[in-house]
Amino acid sequence: MKRSRDVEQLLAANEQLVLGMLRIQSEVQAAEYTLNEIARAANIDELTNLPNRRELRARLQHAIEDAQLHSGSFALLFLDLNDLKLINDTLGHHLGDVLLIETAGCLTQCVQDGDTVARYGGDEFVILLAHCTSRDDALSVADKTISSLNAPKAIGDRQLRISISIGISLYPVDGTDAQSLIDSADAAMYRVKRDKPVASPLPRGLRQRMLHRREANGALVIAALKAQQLQTLAEATLEHEKFILAMVAHELRAPLAPLSLSAEMLERSDQRDGPRLHAIIHKQIEHLTRLVDDLVDVTRIGAGKLHLTRKTLDLATVIQQAVDICEPAMNARTQVLELTLAPTKVKVEGDHLRLTQVFSNLLSNASKFTHTNGVIQLSLRVTGTWAQVDVSDTGMGISANALPIIFEPFIQDEHTVCVNQKGLGVGLTVVRELVEAHAGSVVAHSEGLGRGSCFTVRLPLS
């Protein structure tokens, strides 16, 4: 009878495990889908659906490497729409957007397979002619493009001719890197615009109205510069978000393999294997729980929803509880913990659970990045009106590049990432935010790689 109940319990645990695995797998797939969508959005211009500046630079770099490998050549056309500001200001920005979309379609039809038409920004486009080997061939494509765009087109409820100025650069005659080729074609385009008057797509009366607005448009130039700065910042933020999503998806996926294997073994194992398989399952679930808890804490902190339950605490008691949590891992690595506490009670106002989390995170980090038989030290003392806790180790240390940003979320020192394969790099962020929520401070010190590290926490005395 007892054996039957044990089998029923194992089957029930197995069923819960499988359901949990399916939920985690669904979340990972959703994260991967989101990541793919973000990657696509990062390389495509939203309005014209053409490659954007980032993607153009990548393809241009590839063309340069291919030309260097085969001693080849290619051409770059830099195109600028004439009077797009005039159209935006007199007919409306919506019509200006329609004009840009129409231009993108025409340019795409004027090139061959393997060439790239990209929106460089605003009313500027760039065409990479990957198989064009001479300036005459590039001029032929430019003439074809001008003729195609200059044909009357229905833009909204008006018939307009799209006027454009084009500059040309050749690799390697006009430049051997992406920026010099773009700059050369851009300069050539401005020479064309300066030396050759272009026909306006609008009647003279509308053009005159534009001239009267020149002074007011000075403010728009300043706004455009600020917008470009914001775009650069947004692109950098997007790259960081892509990295974070990839890392979260990877970390959530990692425990699935041992969980899946344990589930399969439970189905065909005898009772003797139960404790070992349960230990594997418990360990992986504990890891997943820790990852999710860290993410939840970072989310709460970012949203300003972190809640503290404050009362007067003996800080030595809090530290001892953190030691009890981390000591098994230290013993497994045969590490030595040297604990030095103040001779008298050190009272602070704080949240017992959260302060325990602070010191257990610091001790866990010290153990994780300290080799077997290493030494970890924790000292508690009173300095003026402050309680000061120093957690130091003889471990891998922190590089000079990582030290200033070690408390930022999702940051891991590249020299130690091979050791910290399990984690999202948010533990120290949680430490900093919890300490500062207690009106304290935390700083990191390290003399460099291989020379250990020290984290100093200061909390106001009660």
Side-chain angles (χ1 to χ4, degrees), residues 175-388:
T176 57
D177 61 85
Q179 192 58 53
S180 62
L181 286 168
I182 292 173
D183 289 344
S184 179
D186 187 20
M189 181 274 296
Y190 273 107
R191 287 195 296 270
V192 171
K193 187 183 287 285
R194 179 193 64 202
D195 298 338
K196 182 180 179 181
V198 292
S200 171
L202 298 177
R204 183 174 180 179
L206 289 177
R207 187 171 184 82
Q208 197 67 28
R209 290 170 58 187
M210 176 61 182
L211 294 176
H212 292 305
R213 298 184 183 184
R214 293 288 186 185
E215 186 175 348
N217 284 342
L220 292 177
V221 174
I222 297 175
L225 291 174
K226 290 182 179 179
Q228 189 172 13
Q229 293 174 351
L230 290 174
Q231 180 181 357
T232 302
L233 178 61
E235 289 175 351
T237 302
L238 182 60
E239 282 296 317
H240 190 52
E241 288 178 354
K242 287 167 56 181
F243 168 75
I244 291 170
L245 276 174
M247 184 167 58
V248 170
H250 172 74
E251 292 297 337
L252 290 177
R253 183 195 294 269
L256 291 180
L259 284 172
S260 177
L261 181 61
S262 299
E264 292 177 4
M265 294 179 66
L266 274 174
E267 293 179 352
R268 56 176 184 269
S269 66
D270 56 31
Q271 192 173 4
R272 291 172 300 175
D273 292 326
R276 180 175 63 86
L277 295 176
H278 273 287
I280 295 174
I281 293 169
H282 177 74
K283 182 178 180 181
Q284 297 304 322
I285 291 177
E286 186 180 62
H287 174 51
L288 279 172
T289 302
R290 187 166 58 252
L291 290 176
V292 172
D293 286 345
D294 283 346
L295 287 172
V296 169
D297 280 341
V298 170
T299 302
R300 285 175 178 168
I301 290 166
K305 296 182 178 179
L306 184 66
H307 176 68
L308 299 179
T309 303
R310 297 176 184 269
K311 62 181 180 179
T312 303
L313 303 172
D314 178 5
L315 200 53
T317 303
V318 175
I319 290 173
Q320 187 58 57
Q321 186 169 346
V323 169
D324 293 341
I325 293 171
C326 300
E327 209 162 25
M330 297 179 188
N331 293 337
R333 299 185 178 96
T334 61
Q335 294 166 341
V336 176
L337 174 63
E338 297 179 355
L339 191 62
T340 305
L341 300 179
T344 58
K345 288 188 176 182
V346 180
K347 300 287 189 176
V348 298
E349 294 290 333
D351 186 310
H352 189 283
L353 179 64
R354 291 302 190 178
L355 287 179
T356 302
Q357 183 180 0
V358 166
F359 297 116
S360 62
N361 274 10
L362 292 176
L363 286 171
S364 176
N365 260 19
S367 175
K368 187 185 305 179
F369 295 112
T370 299
H371 300 296
T372 302
N373 301 321
V375 177
I376 299 167
Q377 297 176 320
L378 187 151
S379 68
L380 167 63
R381 57 194 173 97
V382 174
T383 305
T385 60
W386 297 90
Q388 179 169 318

Side-chain angles (χ1 to χ4, degrees), residues 91-226:
L91 301 180
H93 286 272
H94 172 71
L95 205 63
D97 288 346
V98 174
L99 181 67
L100 288 169
I101 295 170
E102 182 70 24
T103 301
C106 287
L107 295 179
T108 303
Q109 294 175 3
C110 291
V111 300
Q112 301 177 356
D113 292 340
D115 295 336
T116 295
V117 178
R119 187 183 180 194
Y120 195 69
D123 57 356
E124 296 173 336
F125 295 83
V126 173
I127 299 178
L128 170 60
L129 302 175
H131 306 293
C132 184
T133 58
S134 70
R135 196 173 299 273
D136 288 341
D137 291 341
L139 284 169
S140 177
V141 175
D143 290 340
K144 175 183 176 183
T145 301
I146 292 172
S147 298
S148 174
L149 291 172
N150 201 37
K153 293 177 176 59
I155 307 295
D157 58 351
R158 297 174 180 270
Q159 288 289 326
L160 301 179
R161 300 175 184 270
I162 303 174
S163 175
I164 199 163
S165 299
I166 302 179
I168 299 173
S169 64
L170 288 177
Y171 174 89
V173 177
D174 298 317
T176 57
D177 61 85
Q179 192 58 53
S180 62
L181 286 168
I182 292 173
D183 289 344
S184 179
D186 187 20
M189 181 274 296
Y190 273 107
R191 287 195 296 270
V192 171
K193 187 183 287 285
R194 179 193 64 202
D195 298 338
K196 182 180 179 181
V198 292
S200 171
L202 298 177
R204 183 174 180 179
L206 289 177
R207 187 171 184 82
Q208 197 67 28
R209 290 170 58 187
M210 176 61 182
L211 294 176
H212 292 305
R213 298 184 183 184
R214 293 288 186 185
E215 186 175 348
N217 284 342
L220 292 177
V221 174
I222 297 175
L225 291 174
K226 290 182 179 179

Side-chain angles (χ1 to χ4, degrees), residues 26-36 245-246 248-249 252:
S26 175
E27 291 172 359
V28 169
Q29 289 173 346
E32 289 179 341
Y33 174 79
T34 302
L35 181 61
N36 291 333
L245 276 174
V248 170
L252 290 177

Side-chain angles (χ1 to χ4, degrees), residues 387-399:
Q388 179 169 318
V389 181
D390 295 297
V391 180
S392 59
D393 60 68
T394 59
M396 301 182 66
I398 306 171
S399 68

